[in-house]
Amino acid sequence: MQQPIRIISRFNKRLYADAIPGHFATNHSHINYYIDMSEIKHNMTMALEAAHSIAFHFSSVSVDTLLCLEGTEYIGAYIAKELASSGIGSLNSNKVIYLVEPDSNVNGQFMFADNLRPMIEHRNVLVLVNTASTGQTLSQTRECIEYYGGRVAGYSALFSNISELDGKPVVSLFSGEDFPHYHNFVRGKNCPACAAGVPLDAIVTPRGYTKL
């Protein structure tokens, strides 16, 4: 792992992320940069800024529930507050907005406890993730929402390497264009670091990374 490279968001100059070069493995792919969103997720000031930027894009979208994944719950709470505020002309002004996080079964499929199902069923659900590298997590989340009778209101991510899914834009604070040398290799196929015999530096989890 090398020294991180700091990148400023093009959508909000008060937000930054650190791109750490290396050889990393996620659940779905190998990546050559770990995009560290720790400050945005855990620094209250930056979390508020992130929420304001994301909520702005969904002010004209009806949202009943925020489904938060990968440690984005704090930002999700701020997004809900922004959307329900009467100050931004939102369709959701003064609305009660739920925040939920799914469990996972032994097969890695998302699921909800029975007491949380009413917060998904017949509701417009906005998805928020930390990173959307391949779109697989977002697709899995969509399947879960639809299984429980909900509707996807939109997709949002702190960092996204895809611009849309199912015809809906993926609203993000950072994109692959911000990191011109960022690459992901689905399930590690054609990974040049693997081909060169370079060992993995770390395993990436929804909460961060763990060095090997």
Side-chain angles (χ1 to χ4, degrees):
M1 293 172 61
Q2 305 172 37
Q3 289 298 312
I5 303 166
R6 181 150 293 181
I7 305 295
I8 306 299
S9 171
R10 290 180 294 166
F11 304 102
N12 187 327
K13 300 303 181 183
R14 298 185 180 91
L15 298 175
Y16 62 82
D18 290 332
I20 304 173
H23 185 197
F24 303 91
T26 74
N27 286 340
H28 310 307
S29 64
H30 283 198
I31 52 178
N32 64 334
Y33 280 89
Y34 172 71
I35 312 301
D36 188 4
M37 298 291 173
S38 299
E39 282 290 322
I40 295 178
K41 290 193 292 185
H42 301 289
N43 178 317
M44 186 186 74
T45 301
M46 291 187 70
L48 282 165
E49 286 288 343
H52 180 75
S53 295
I54 293 173
F56 174 78
H57 289 278
F58 294 100
S59 60
S60 61
V61 177
S62 177
V63 176
D64 302 306
T65 301
L66 265 99
L67 192 158
C68 304
L69 291 168
E70 304 174 339
T72 60
E73 298 86 356
Y74 303 131
I75 297 174
Y78 292 137
I79 291 174
K81 183 177 180 181
E82 286 276 339
L83 290 175
S85 169
S86 59
I88 64 172
S90 171
L91 285 177
N92 307 288
S93 295
N94 302 313
K95 179 190 286 186
V96 173
I97 298 177
Y98 294 101
L99 287 97
V100 296
E101 180 182 8
D103 294 319
S104 297
N105 62 21
V106 292
N107 297 316
Q109 297 169 312
F110 294 140
M111 57 183 292
F112 286 100
D114 288 349
N115 54 299
L116 297 182
R117 290 188 179 196
M119 301 177 190
I120 299 293
E121 188 176 12
H122 305 311
R123 297 188 184 275
N124 299 312
V125 183
L126 173 60
V127 179
L128 174 63
V129 299
N130 178 67
T131 301
S133 293
T134 64
Q136 188 166 335
T137 297
L138 292 180
S139 294
Q140 186 180 353
T141 305
R142 180 206 65 216
E143 292 173 2
C144 175
I145 291 169
E146 292 176 350
Y147 175 82
Y148 286 101
R151 299 174 294 271
V152 175
Y155 300 107
S156 57
L158 304 187
F159 166 77
S160 180
N161 198 42
I162 59 174
S163 59
E164 63 89 24
L165 182 69
D166 304 326
K168 294 181 183 295
V170 178
V171 173
S172 65
L173 303 174
F174 299 87
S175 72
E177 295 178 1
D178 298 316
F179 307 93
H181 302 296
Y182 174 90
H183 297 289
N184 67 73
F185 306 92
V186 178
R187 302 194 184 282
K189 292 182 179 179
N190 303 317
C191 174
C194 289
V198 177
L200 287 169
D201 291 309
I203 301 294
V204 176
T205 71
R207 300 288 177 175
Y209 67 86
T210 301
K211 292 182 180 179
L212 297 175

